[in-house]
Amino acid sequence: MKIHIVELKYIKSEDEITRVRPAHREFLDIGYKNKLFLASGPKEDKTGGIILAVGDINEVKELLKNDPFHKEEVAEYSFKSFDAVKSASEIASLL
C-alpha cells in the first residue's frame, strides 16, 4: 500500500495561520470521510503540519487544492510517498 506524507510549511504570520486554522481543520474532515487521510496535525516546532494520506496521489493533490490553507496561500505543500510493505494492524484495518 502507498502512504503519502504531505508536509505543510507555513509561509504567513501566526495570526494568519490562526485565522484560517478552523476552516482548515473542518476541511480535513472531507479527507477522513473519503478515507484518504490517516492522520494529521501540526509539527512540534509549529512551522507547519503533516498529513498522512493513502490512495491515488493525484486524488490527494486535487482534494488539497480546496484546503483553506492553500486557497488563502498561508502554506506550501510538499509530497513524499512510500510503499508500506509492513504496517501495524491498526493501520491495515483502516484501508
Side-chain angles (χ1 to χ4, degrees):
M1 117 188 72
K2 286 220 187 281
I3 295 180
H4 314 291
I5 302 166
V6 182
E7 183 173 6
L8 286 74
K9 178 183 173 189
Y10 299 146
I11 57 173
K12 296 287 174 113
S13 70
E14 179 58 36
D15 288 343
E16 284 294 300
I17 300 302
T18 299
R19 179 182 66 78
V20 180
R21 184 177 287 125
H24 164 73
R25 288 190 174 161
E26 188 174 314
F27 161 81
L28 291 173
D29 290 339
I30 297 167
Y32 287 107
K33 181 180 175 188
N34 291 334
K35 299 187 184 210
L36 290 175
F37 296 167
L38 294 176
S40 58
K43 293 193 289 186
E44 224 173 274
D45 64 6
K46 306 298 184 203
T47 60
I50 300 288
I51 300 170
L52 294 181
V54 293
D56 183 278
I57 188 62
N58 293 318
E59 186 177 354
V60 172
K61 288 179 177 181
E62 194 63 33
L63 176 65
L64 288 170
K65 289 179 182 178
N66 295 310
D67 183 351
F69 275 178
H70 174 75
K71 287 183 162 188
E72 297 281 335
E73 299 180 341
V74 299
E76 295 176 334
Y77 301 76
S78 64
F79 301 87
K80 293 183 174 71
S81 300
F82 69 98
D83 287 316
V85 295
K86 293 187 70 124
S87 64
S89 59
E90 295 83 2
I91 290 175
S93 70
L94 295 173
L95 305 175

